[in-house]
Amino acid sequence: MIRPLKIAKKTIHHAILIILAALWLIPVYTMLIDGMKSAGGVLTTPILQPTGLSFTPLITVSSALELPIVNSLILAIATATISTFIGALAAFYFYKGRSWTNNTVFVIIAIATFIPYQITLVPITEILSTLGLFNTYPGLIFTFVIFHLPGGALLMTIFMSNLPKSIVESARADGASDWIVFSKVAFPLTLAGAVSTFILTFVEVWNNFFIPLVLTSTPNMYTASISLLSYTGGYGTLYNDSFAAALVASLIPLLVFVLLGRYFMRGFLALGSGSKG
Amino acid sequence: MVKIGLENVTKIFTKKKLENKVLDDISFEVADGNFFGIIGQSGAGKTTLLRIIAGLEGPTHGKVKFDNTVVAEEGKIKVPIEERNIGMVFQTWALYPHLTSYDNIAFPLRAKKMDENDIESTVLHLAKMLGITEILVRKPGRISGGQQQRVAVARALSKSPSLLLLDEPFSNLDATIKDNARSLIRTVQKELSITAIIVSHDPADIFSLASDTLAITDGRNAQMGRTSDLYHKPSNLTVARSIGEMSVIQGLMTQGSGKDVEVKLGDRCKLGFRRDELIAIVPENNTEVRVGFRPESLEVLEENNTALKGSDYWVLIGNGFVKICSYSAGIFRVLIRLDGLDDDIAVSSDVSIDTDSRISLYAKRDDLKLFDSNGNSMLNYSMSLGKQGSSNDERRRIYAST
């Protein structure tokens, strides 16, 4: 009596999983198939039907996307590194001791994480123009860091709260200064969490469209996300090139996940199990 | 290499406006090179006390002095922990899991920016002394508990601290290797002639290491003195029990004939005390008191065996039966239930005794302890104590009447 019930249950579970996976894979599949169609083929064949393999659109967009991808890489790596590192420093400060001021700052950071960045983009544009940082890497990085640092600090605080107090106390007893405690003990032990924070920030910056749209004015500063727009013009859309460009632009975050994914998993697992490092 | 002084240290933790006095007016001094013990039940405040000495907490009131330097005073830490030159062994050992044993031991030296060659010779010397040379390349997760503890000790000693602080350092070790670990610490402490303070709830730690001990209960100084004095002359029942096992029987104190006072235990046993053997005023008639027995000061005989009857040293407490007889390290621990009494009495015995067998329980009269209903000792130890007290004229007059 139990067996058929078990099998039915399993079948339903798997069916649900397959449907969810398909839902997620359809856009990826479309991107892959249509990015390899010719300009004519993409317009004449149904969107889900493959028609031959042509690497021409991929090659075309790859060379066109070279500079935007480099731009995106610079911005995403710089922002993710700065946000994670300063976030970790902030987290260490909160870890060291809770006080009235600490709690207040922490609440402000938590609120800042959830402020929609669109609201503040106009004043930031003003500030950057005044400082002569409009349409520059430092200006963009500065803006991205403003919006991603609170998130980084919040995440690192959550990861660092898992660090056993006695290890930090023992480091202090061993005569270590705050900087040594942070750099030699606290940070290495929350490395998995730092990598997770890095990846999240990296992907968010990579995918961000609005900030570079507002803060860049010349094509040489365009990021990958902005460049995708250039395949859609007032006179028509190069659908196969759009799909190919989207494919190329999504490869980098994918690569980051593949390379650092195990740290990512470990970081979040550590939160659940309470295991350290 | 340092003298530690605490003056009227009080610690109050405030949480949501609720004040919790963890330490209340603690004062003591640890002489240079001494091994000092702090014993108490969990929650007594002993770890907080150690953390204040270490500098991980500041005293709410009072002073902490290292030699003549005030390192903390009235809520302020004047010399932070990293500048106090202490070595600390935590209960959990708190090794750095991402570093090898070598790097763990070298950590305090690197924090001091010592030359790498000097670091190597120091680490290797300590590793040899503690017998952990082979596991230096391994990380803490890959070595045994005993080895981890030795790495923690080596790390605490590597920068040649002037003060060694041990917070329940043996509680996570297997019983079989505890004594080894204790003797290792004793040897190292003597060899380096370093001042050391150990906090523990286990009398075995305190007896094996500390020459002087502070017993704290509810954050207060319950008793301080030589470790053996705490055992033989406890000032109250809590101290007596925290430093060793003690069974207690309720009794009634009444005026005896002349200058004597009688304590009635059950309906068979009466103990007599001279007035000058008791401190302060002897309470009125029929006051409740408690008589305490150490397991080694009791003897179990078969019921109606009269071998000890009429002895000057032994007094019959009563008859009863054996509840259970267990074994630990060469000694049998016998749990006795006396007729008409509700409390179990622990006795150490050289021989195994069958469960449920009928017995007579005798106590060494000079080793009895007497407490009032609040648990405070009623004995005047200067008049009657242990071996000195055994001389004929000083001997406590106890008799059994059956």
Side-chain angles (χ1 to χ4, degrees):
Chain A
M1 273 318 276
I2 299 164
R3 276 216 135 181
L5 210 86
K6 240 186 177 173
I7 292 167
K9 223 176 167 185
K10 253 191 173 169
T11 317
I12 292 171
H13 282 175
H14 278 86
I16 291 172
L17 284 178
I18 288 166
I19 289 168
L20 288 176
L23 278 177
W24 187 79
L25 280 173
I26 284 171
V28 181
Y29 169 78
T30 321
M31 192 169 75
L32 209 65
I33 293 303
D34 291 62
M36 291 181 176
K37 284 176 183 173
S38 64
V42 76
L43 290 171
T44 52
T45 51
I47 194 161
L48 291 177
Q49 181 195 320
T51 55
L53 285 177
S54 154
F55 288 98
T56 333
L58 278 177
I59 294 161
T60 323
V61 297
S62 291
S63 62
L65 281 175
E66 227 168 72
L67 186 64
I69 283 182
V70 170
N71 283 344
S72 279
L73 269 178
I74 291 173
L75 295 178
I77 291 178
T79 308
T81 309
I82 295 172
S83 303
T84 305
F85 185 72
I86 299 183
L89 281 175
F92 184 60
Y93 171 75
F94 293 128
Y95 179 84
K96 276 186 62 185
R98 291 249 167 227
S99 66
W100 185 83
T101 40
N102 268 6
N103 286 342
T104 313
V105 175
F106 186 75
V107 168
I108 291 172
I109 285 179
I111 292 171
T113 313
F114 299 108
I115 289 180
Y117 58 82
Q118 291 85 345
I119 296 172
T120 48
L121 220 47
V122 172
I124 281 182
T125 314
E126 284 283 315
I127 294 168
L128 291 186
S129 317
T130 317
L131 294 172
L133 292 175
F134 185 76
N135 199 35
T136 60
Y137 291 133
L140 279 162
I141 293 170
F142 173 73
T143 311
F144 274 123
V145 166
I146 288 178
F147 295 119
H148 289 292
L149 183 54
L154 192 69
L155 267 176
M156 285 310 290
T157 305
I158 295 167
F159 284 118
M160 215 169 264
S161 65
N162 243 14
L163 192 67
K165 270 240 146 45
S166 60
I167 288 194
V168 169
E169 286 175 348
S170 133
R172 292 188 62 207
D174 284 342
S177 61
D178 274 352
W179 171 247
I180 291 181
V181 176
F182 173 76
S183 61
K184 293 283 194 297
V185 177
F187 192 72
L189 286 178
T190 42
L191 192 63
V195 171
S196 309
T197 309
F198 180 91
I199 293 175
L200 282 176
T201 316
F202 182 93
V203 172
E204 272 183 54
V205 173
W206 186 275
N207 290 337
N208 193 295
F209 176 76
F210 196 56
I211 292 176
L213 182 73
V214 174
L215 296 182
T216 58
S217 54
T218 54
N220 65 332
M221 286 303 295
Y222 282 176
T223 62
S225 56
I226 299 287
S227 297
L228 295 186
L229 193 68
S230 66
Y231 294 95
T232 310
Y235 300 104
T237 302
L238 295 164
Y239 284 108
N240 59 338
D241 283 359
S242 295
F243 282 121
L247 181 64
V248 170
S250 59
L251 281 180
I252 301 277
L254 201 69
L255 204 69
V256 169
F257 260 112
V258 169
L259 286 180
L260 300 176
R262 58 198 180 99
Y263 288 100
F264 192 75
M265 290 306 291
R266 208 187 291 168
F268 281 98
L269 277 177
L271 279 188
S273 66
S275 69
K276 323 295 187 283
Chain B
M1 285 173 280
V2 66
K3 184 180 79 180
I4 308 298
L6 269 75
E7 291 173 18
N8 312 99
V9 165
T10 298
K11 180 71 184 176
I12 299 168
F13 286 118
T14 314
K15 207 173 192 181
K16 288 182 182 158
K17 289 183 180 169
L18 271 175
E19 284 196 351
N20 183 14
K21 206 180 237 182
V22 181
L23 291 174
D24 190 0
D25 199 22
I26 301 274
S27 302
F28 64 85
E29 205 167 81
V30 183
D32 185 5
N34 248 21
F35 211 129
F36 190 78
I38 298 170
I39 197 166
Q41 266 129 7
S42 47
K46 51 191 193 308
T47 295
T48 306
L49 188 56
L50 196 76
R51 289 170 63 84
I52 285 175
I53 298 168
L56 290 166
E57 309 268 358
T60 311
H61 300 296
K63 266 185 208 172
V64 182
K65 280 158 83 176
F66 278 33
D67 286 329
N68 293 318
T69 318
V70 176
V71 294
E73 190 177 24
E74 301 297 318
K76 286 194 199 82
I77 294 175
K78 295 193 162 173
V79 180
I81 176 170
E82 53 266 37
E83 288 165 29
R84 289 190 187 184
N85 194 28
I86 56 165
M88 196 157 175
V89 179
F90 289 78
Q91 184 172 7
T92 54
W93 305 321
L95 294 174
Y96 311 122
H98 60 303
L99 300 178
T100 62
S101 302
Y102 181 97
D103 291 334
N104 262 281
I105 303 169
F107 187 89
L109 303 174
R110 294 201 172 123
K112 266 167 74 174
K113 299 196 168 59
M114 196 196 249
D115 180 68
E116 275 296 325
N117 289 327
D118 295 342
I119 291 180
E120 193 179 344
S121 63
T122 311
V123 173
L124 292 181
H125 171 71
L126 274 168
K128 202 177 161 199
M129 196 151 110
L130 294 161
I132 45 174
T133 314
E134 319 82 64
I135 51 105
L136 283 179
V137 291
R138 287 199 237 162
K139 289 187 179 175
R142 308 207 151 269
I143 57 180
S144 74
Q147 289 166 332
Q148 286 185 38
Q149 201 246 3
R150 280 188 262 176
V151 172
V153 172
R155 183 182 63 181
L157 293 171
S158 65
K159 60 170 172 198
S160 46
S162 32
L163 174 65
L164 179 65
L165 299 175
L166 307 157
D167 185 7
E168 305 259 7
F170 310 113
S171 60
N172 287 333
L173 287 182
D174 286 345
T176 45
I177 53 170
K178 271 187 186 181
D179 273 338
N180 264 328
R182 289 181 187 124
S183 100
L184 201 64
I185 289 204
R186 187 92 184 99
T187 317
V188 169
Q189 185 264 343
K190 272 199 169 159
E191 202 159 300
L192 305 176
S193 63
I194 189 176
T195 314
I197 300 177
I198 180 171
V199 154
S200 181
H201 69 278
D202 187 349
D205 293 345
I206 300 293
F207 271 112
S208 56
L209 294 171
S211 48
D212 290 271
T213 297
L214 166 74
I216 51 178
T217 39
D218 298 330
R220 286 193 201 86
N221 175 349
Q223 192 172 355
M224 187 168 60
R226 310 290 302 167
T227 307
S228 58
D229 282 358
L230 260 62
Y231 188 83
H232 294 295
K233 312 177 199 172
S235 66
N236 63 50
L237 195 53
T238 320
V239 172
R241 281 185 158 155
S242 63
I243 194 100
E245 181 155 21
M246 179 167 276
S247 306
V248 167
I249 300 179
Q250 295 268 4
L252 274 182
M253 181 176 267
T254 51
Q255 299 286 346
S257 55
K259 283 186 171 180
D260 284 354
V261 183
E262 270 182 358
V263 173
K264 211 171 146 214
L265 295 178
D267 23 298
R268 303 203 57 181
C269 174
K270 275 183 191 160
L271 307 170
F273 294 88
R274 285 199 326 271
R275 287 291 178 100
D276 62 351
E277 290 176 309
L278 305 177
I279 50 166
I281 312 136
V282 174
E284 308 157 36
N285 261 354
N286 291 328
T287 358
E288 276 198 5
V289 293
R290 301 185 215 176
V291 180
F293 307 91
R294 293 281 185 209
E296 73 277 9
S297 65
L298 292 166
E299 192 67 58
V300 178
L301 294 181
E302 290 161 38
E303 196 169 24
N304 302 325
N305 181 329
T306 53
L308 291 176
K309 209 167 183 184
S311 156
D312 279 346
Y313 295 93
W314 296 95
V315 47
L316 178 70
I317 300 299
N319 296 324
F321 67 96
V322 173
K323 226 176 138 188
I324 194 85
C325 174
S326 61
Y327 175 84
S328 143
I331 292 172
F332 293 92
R333 184 173 179 275
V334 188
L335 223 50
I336 304 281
R337 177 66 64 92
L338 290 180
D339 301 339
L341 290 174
D342 296 332
D343 301 300
D344 295 329
I345 296 165
V347 183
S348 43
S349 160
D350 299 337
V351 291
S352 170
I353 306 171
D354 290 340
T355 305
D356 287 335
S357 49
R358 296 285 309 170
I359 51 89
S360 294
L361 184 66
Y362 285 84
K364 219 180 268 178
R365 53 182 55 173
D366 291 340
D367 285 348
L368 295 178
K369 306 286 176 270
L370 188 64
F371 305 96
D372 64 19
S373 53
N374 295 321
N376 295 316
S377 174
M378 299 175 76
L379 292 180
N380 179 359
Y381 289 119
S382 62
M383 285 304 290
S384 56
L385 174 82
K387 300 208 164 57
Q388 301 104 20
S390 294
S391 63
N392 277 337
D393 50 334
E394 288 281 347
R395 187 177 309 146
R396 192 179 308 146
R397 227 154 49 79
I398 301 169
Y399 52 87
S401 65
T402 42

